[in-house]
Each structure stands twice: as structure tokens, then as C-alpha cells.
Amino acid sequence: MTNQPVLPPLGTPWRNNRFHRQWLFEQAGNLFDFFQRSVINPAGGFFDLDDAGQPIATANPVRQIHGTTRMVHCFAIGTLLGRPGCDVIVDHGMEYLWKAHRDAQNGGYVWSLDDNGPKDDTKQAYGHAFVLLAASSAKVVGHPLADRLLDDITQTLEERFWEEQHGAVAEEFTRDWQPLSQYRGQNSNMHLTEALMAAFEATGNRTHLDRAERIASLIIARHAASLGYRVAEHFGADWSLDREYRGGDMFRPYGTTPGHWLEWARLLLQLWSLGGQRHAWMPDAARELFRQSIALGWDKEKGGFFYALDWDDEPRLPLKLWWPCAEAIGAAAFLCEHEPSDFHEQWYRTLWGFTDAHLIDHRHGGWRPELTEDLPPSATVFTGKPDLYHALQACLIPLFPATGSLTKVIPESSVQA
């Protein structure tokens, strides 16, 4: 397989090719099938699935909040697409969010639970961002708990997390809202940007969009632009860059994470569209973030994105994860619509070529979450098939107008059809 795109002119964009579009729908359907049949835990929440799509065997499984909320979001999308049974999964997840993750005594939402109750009872901005996304998606499909959840999570974010002086959120608290650290992170704020846009689309509340724009200005226009469009991950309480911070490799790896540059490239174009194309810096930044991720993060010999780079732009975690490729596909699709070029089109094709060859598990279903630097499957950070969210959005984003969240553009497209 060729890792470097070199073959313009390219003719009809793949996103307009009916055969490619059919293939994308089939891939999305395969993902839904893989997760839908076994993911519900009758005791509440959702199971983590193994390579074959069966619940990972454990006597008392832990349910983390990002897993619960992403399932709600994804199966709300499935409901919008008319897939039977998706509404059952949305309802199951919403009940667990409201009755289990939600801390009725102290407010907010705990990070994880098992059958005995809270396992990790901290209040994390990352998790709360996904509660907002789930509530917004549930509102679009008319779930009866959606308005209550939306009001509750909006109030919690406002009163506990949002720091007006910085235009971003604080990171983490104990169960009774004592600050756990002075750490501030871009990852939670990036996902909050995604959720705030979805909340704006679902409610029309302009405050959500204004705050998304403020976060983007801080993380990208201020910090990433000054670093040659490398997205810094870790900061102090005053939002000064902390180059030495070392957290866990799953959520807070040392150095920079090219996958997040790609995620921001798409989010910026969506934010620019929703905001009436007022901020000219956003599409410029999106182009640069995509270009830098390819230049510095893509393995030019073997293919795939290195998970994390050091501050000299050398691979620090050279393993290849599924989600950077998924986010790169979404970013390339948005760029192909708003900034069409042979460069973006060829990378869109190259990314799908790599994904099909190495990440999609054509035998068992789902996407392999992790590869070694040399591309065989591995399991040093992730086990089983841990996620529907990134892969599903990669399959669906190219099928719809690059103007908003999937929960906005799918219903609009259905109405127009």
C-alpha cells in the first residue's frame, strides 16, 4: 500500500461517489450491528466488548461515564437513521446516567460505577462534556429525560467548571467539589467544544456557541498557533503551558497528540459554519492543523499516526491507535467540502485505505483499537473493542453536509430528501 498520496488529478470526490457512499453506510451498519447485539448490561449501563463483540468476562464490570454517554450519543444517531432497536439503547443509557452516574446529593456526575455503586467518584470535566453531548443528542430524538439532563448538566458546568476569566473549564474535583489539582487540560475542553455546539444546535441557546468559540480561541488561536499549530495538551491553572506534565497514557500522555490536531481541524470548521463564518482564522487554522498532523504525525514508512510525539516532534508513543485515523477522516471530509484540494481528497482516500487494510476487523467486526508501530494488533493501552463513537462518526460524517453535528445534519438531510 502507498502511504504517500501522489496521484492528482483525482476526478469525482469519493464523498460524491455513490458506490463509496454505499460502502460507508455499510461500514456504519456493521459497527451498529457489532455493538447493538451485546452492549446492554441488564444491571445498568453498558458492557465493554471483547474482540468478538461479546461482554468482557468479569464478575463486577466497571462502567465509565464516557462509555455510557457515547453509547447514548451514537444510538441517538442510529435512531435518526431509522435503525430499529437504537431507541432502546438510548433509553437504557439515559436511565443509567440519571439514576446512577448522577450524584443526587452533591450534584454532578461520577466518573465510574460498578454493581455496588461509585467506583471512582471524582467529577471530571471530560466526563461532564460527554454528558452534555449525550443530553443534546437525546433531546434531538425526543427522549423524555433529555430536558432534565440538559438543564442539570448545563447548570453544573456553569456553576462548577466554567472559569469565565479564562474562557474554559477547570478539570477535576472530588465528589464534594474540592479541587483535585491545579491541572487544566485541552482534551476535556476540546470535547466540551464538540458538546457545546451540539447543545447550541439542540436548544438554540447562543451561550453554548459563544463558549465553544472562546475555548477554541484559547486552545488554538492563542496556544496552538504560537507552537506552529501543534496542539499543547497540558496547562497550569492560569493556562500557562506545562511541557513537563506526565499523566496517564490513555487520557493525558506526555508531549503532543496529533490525533487531537485532527479533531480540532474538523471542530473548527464546524464552529466556523455554525457561527456564520465570522471568524476567518478558523478555516486557516484547520488547514494548518491538518497539514501539520500529516507532516509530523503520520508514519511515512509504515502508515498510521503515531499516538504521541515529544517536544522535538519525535515519536514518544509510536503505537498506532484507531481514533486518530477516524478523526483524520472526519477532518479530511470537512476540508474537502470547505477547502477542496487534491491534497485533502487524496488524504481522504489514503486514510480510508489504511483503515480498511489495518483497522477494520473484517472477520470479527468493529475496528481494532491499537496497532504496534509495525502495524500488528496489540493491547498495551486498550483491550477488546472499546469504542463505537470515533469509528461511527468517521463513516457517517462524509455522507452529510459539513455544516454541523451529525445530530443536526441527519434530520435536515432527511427532511430535504
PDB file of all heavy atoms in Angstrom, residues 110 200 224 396:
ATOM      1  N   VAL A 110     -20.486  11.169  38.537  1.00  0.00           N
ATOM      2  CA  VAL A 110     -19.272  10.448  38.933  1.00  0.00           C
ATOM      3  C   VAL A 110     -18.671   9.742  37.727  1.00  0.00           C
ATOM      4  O   VAL A 110     -19.370   9.353  36.790  1.00  0.00           O
ATOM      5  CB  VAL A 110     -19.556   9.450  40.065  1.00  0.00           C
ATOM      6  CG1 VAL A 110     -20.062  10.180  41.307  1.00  0.00           C
ATOM      7  CG2 VAL A 110     -20.530   8.361  39.632  1.00  0.00           C
ATOM      8  N   PHE A 200     -25.989  23.851  21.427  1.00  0.00           N
ATOM      9  CA  PHE A 200     -26.500  25.019  20.709  1.00  0.00           C
ATOM     10  C   PHE A 200     -27.476  24.595  19.616  1.00  0.00           C
ATOM     11  O   PHE A 200     -28.564  25.182  19.456  1.00  0.00           O
ATOM     12  CB  PHE A 200     -25.344  25.815  20.116  1.00  0.00           C
ATOM     13  CG  PHE A 200     -25.764  26.840  19.095  1.00  0.00           C
ATOM     14  CD1 PHE A 200     -26.475  27.965  19.471  1.00  0.00           C
ATOM     15  CD2 PHE A 200     -25.455  26.667  17.748  1.00  0.00           C
ATOM     16  CE1 PHE A 200     -26.872  28.914  18.531  1.00  0.00           C
ATOM     17  CE2 PHE A 200     -25.844  27.606  16.807  1.00  0.00           C
ATOM     18  CZ  PHE A 200     -26.568  28.733  17.203  1.00  0.00           C
ATOM     19  N   ALA A 224      -2.001  26.928  20.166  1.00  0.00           N
ATOM     20  CA  ALA A 224      -1.522  26.112  19.043  1.00  0.00           C
ATOM     21  C   ALA A 224      -0.865  26.966  17.972  1.00  0.00           C
ATOM     22  O   ALA A 224       0.168  26.584  17.404  1.00  0.00           O
ATOM     23  CB  ALA A 224      -2.669  25.299  18.450  1.00  0.00           C
ATOM     24  N   LEU A 396     -19.918   8.219   8.995  1.00  0.00           N
ATOM     25  CA  LEU A 396     -21.114   8.994   8.684  1.00  0.00           C
ATOM     26  C   LEU A 396     -20.833  10.448   8.300  1.00  0.00           C
ATOM     27  O   LEU A 396     -21.566  11.028   7.495  1.00  0.00           O
ATOM     28  CB  LEU A 396     -22.077   8.952   9.871  1.00  0.00           C
ATOM     29  CG  LEU A 396     -22.687   7.583  10.179  1.00  0.00           C
ATOM     30  CD1 LEU A 396     -23.554   7.660  11.423  1.00  0.00           C
ATOM     31  CD2 LEU A 396     -23.484   7.057   8.995  1.00  0.00           C
TER      32      LEU A 396
END
